[in-house]
Amino acid sequence: MSTQVIDKKDIETDEMMRYRRRAATQRVMKTAGPRIFLIIMCLIYIVPFYWMVSTALKSTTDLSQFPPSFFPTSLHFENFAAAVSTIPFGVYFGNTLLITVLTIIGSVLANLVVAYGFACIEWPGRDKVFYIVLATMFIPFPIAIVPQFDLFARLHWINTILPLVVPHFFAGAFFIFMLRQFLLQIPKELIEASRMDGATELQIMWSVILPLSRPALAVVALFSGISAWNDFMGPLIYLQDDMKRTLSIGLQVFRSTHDIQFNLLMAASLLTVLPLIILFLFSQNFFIKGATVGSIK
């Protein structure tokens, strides 16, 4: 009798062990698959960036090797100084920074005002006008190039930064939609209480809405800043003077005149990309908050 009891206990113990092993295996499989996928995706994005850094530090002799080496034989940091001195990099950097800063200011202010009007103020035909604004997102950019250029030419804005900056002070459909959805999550009681206290709409937007909308506004600033920094078509169309060009146009000019010196081209490209990387590293917390959570928890 005691032997049978012991055998049953051993069987139950073996079954529990097999069950735990199966559960552990399932947990590993559930976590291993996504982790492997994320590692592969990280490599897809990291390897080109590493290749750019590696090429920027290579000598001309290393570039002529076949098959190409994955690591430079020696580090040539003087390539960065040579790349900066080959083109007016400082002028291009200053022009790009000015356009980017003004674009961020215009995008944040204009889109907040318009989104506040669509989300927090009741007025006849509000939703219909909002749908019309959303419809502008589906207009292809090439269709608007000619009428925009004609408009800016009549205003004598060609060869200035105004065509690249002023349109952002009139808001954009994508940012209006994103901020409106964000503002709709703010309790209306806060706005109504402010109105009952005698606050104007501008005071409500500045004192109540703005502090609660900082994560979403950070996303608008980040997206608009990256778009302005990387913009190639706009400066190519409107900027004609060499001293008014941006980094994206400067790199193209560098490539057309120094197409064999890929180490200098990659060094200049790395200096162009580096500010965006630093910007994202310092603003990723705001970006995640604005993209994943509401304004009120």
Side-chain angles (χ1 to χ4, degrees):
M1 188 69 179
S2 60
T3 304
Q4 293 179 355
V5 174
I6 293 174
D7 293 339
K8 288 182 180 179
K9 290 182 178 180
D10 293 339
I11 293 173
E12 292 176 356
T13 303
D14 293 340
E15 290 179 352
M16 290 295 296
M17 292 296 294
R18 286 195 295 269
Y19 174 77
R20 291 177 180 176
R21 284 196 293 268
R22 286 197 301 268
T25 303
Q26 292 177 355
R27 286 195 299 268
V28 171
M29 292 301 295
K30 288 181 179 179
T31 58
R35 292 177 185 273
I36 293 174
F37 175 76
L38 291 176
I39 292 173
I40 294 174
M41 294 301 297
C42 287
L43 290 176
I44 292 175
Y45 285 96
I46 290 176
V47 169
F49 179 75
Y50 171 78
W51 188 256
M52 179 175 63
V53 176
S54 176
T55 305
L57 296 174
K58 287 182 179 179
S59 62
T60 306
T61 305
D62 292 337
L63 294 177
S64 60
Q65 293 181 357
F66 185 83
S69 59
F70 202 69
F71 303 97
T73 55
S74 58
L75 302 180
H76 294 268
F77 291 98
E78 65 272 11
N79 291 340
F80 294 96
V84 171
S85 61
T86 303
I87 59 175
F89 188 88
V91 176
Y92 294 162
F93 184 89
N95 296 336
T96 307
L97 183 62
L98 177 62
I99 294 173
T100 302
V101 171
L102 294 178
T103 298
I104 292 175
I105 295 174
S107 298
V108 171
L109 295 179
N111 288 288
L112 177 61
V113 172
V114 178
Y116 177 80
F118 281 123
C120 303
I121 301 177
E122 296 286 345
W123 47 278
R126 183 187 68 174
D127 294 338
K128 294 180 180 179
V129 175
F130 177 68
Y131 295 146
I132 295 174
V133 172
L134 285 185
T136 61
M137 295 176 60
F138 300 96
I139 300 177
F141 177 71
I143 295 178
I145 291 179
V146 175
Q148 283 184 354
F149 185 87
D150 183 63
L151 173 62
F152 295 138
R154 292 176 182 271
L155 294 173
H156 304 287
W157 286 3
I158 303 301
N159 201 28
T160 67
I161 66 172
L162 294 178
L164 305 176
V165 173
V166 172
H168 296 284
F169 283 83
F170 291 89
F174 174 75
F175 292 140
I176 292 173
F177 171 76
M178 186 183 70
L179 286 176
R180 175 182 178 271
Q181 298 305 114
F182 193 92
L183 296 181
L184 287 175
Q185 302 178 42
I186 297 178
K188 294 183 179 180
E189 291 78 7
L190 293 175
I191 301 175
E192 294 298 332
S194 300
R195 288 171 180 163
M196 292 179 64
D197 291 338
T200 62
E201 298 296 336
L202 184 60
Q203 290 174 337
I204 295 173
M205 185 181 64
W206 181 261
S207 303
V208 178
I209 300 301
L210 181 61
L212 297 175
S213 305
R214 287 178 182 174
L217 293 177
V219 177
V220 173
L222 181 63
F223 282 179
S224 60
I226 292 176
S227 177
W229 188 273
N230 293 328
D231 187 19
F232 178 80
M233 187 62 67
L236 180 64
I237 295 174
Y238 298 114
L239 300 180
Q240 301 172 355
D241 190 357
D242 182 64
M243 290 295 100
K244 295 181 180 179
R245 289 173 175 169
T246 59
L247 285 174
S248 57
I249 304 299
L251 291 178
Q252 183 62 31
V253 173
F254 183 91
R255 181 181 178 183
S256 61
T257 55
H258 303 82
D259 55 345
I260 301 178
Q261 297 175 294
F262 289 104
N263 52 352
L264 301 185
L265 178 61
M266 290 297 103
S269 301
L270 181 59
L271 293 177
T272 303
V273 174
L274 193 60
L276 295 181
I277 298 176
I278 297 175
L279 174 65
F280 179 78
L281 291 178
F282 281 96
S283 61
Q284 59 179 333
N285 292 332
F286 290 99
F287 174 76
I288 294 173
K289 286 182 180 180
T292 59
V293 302
S295 57
I296 300 295
K297 294 185 179 179

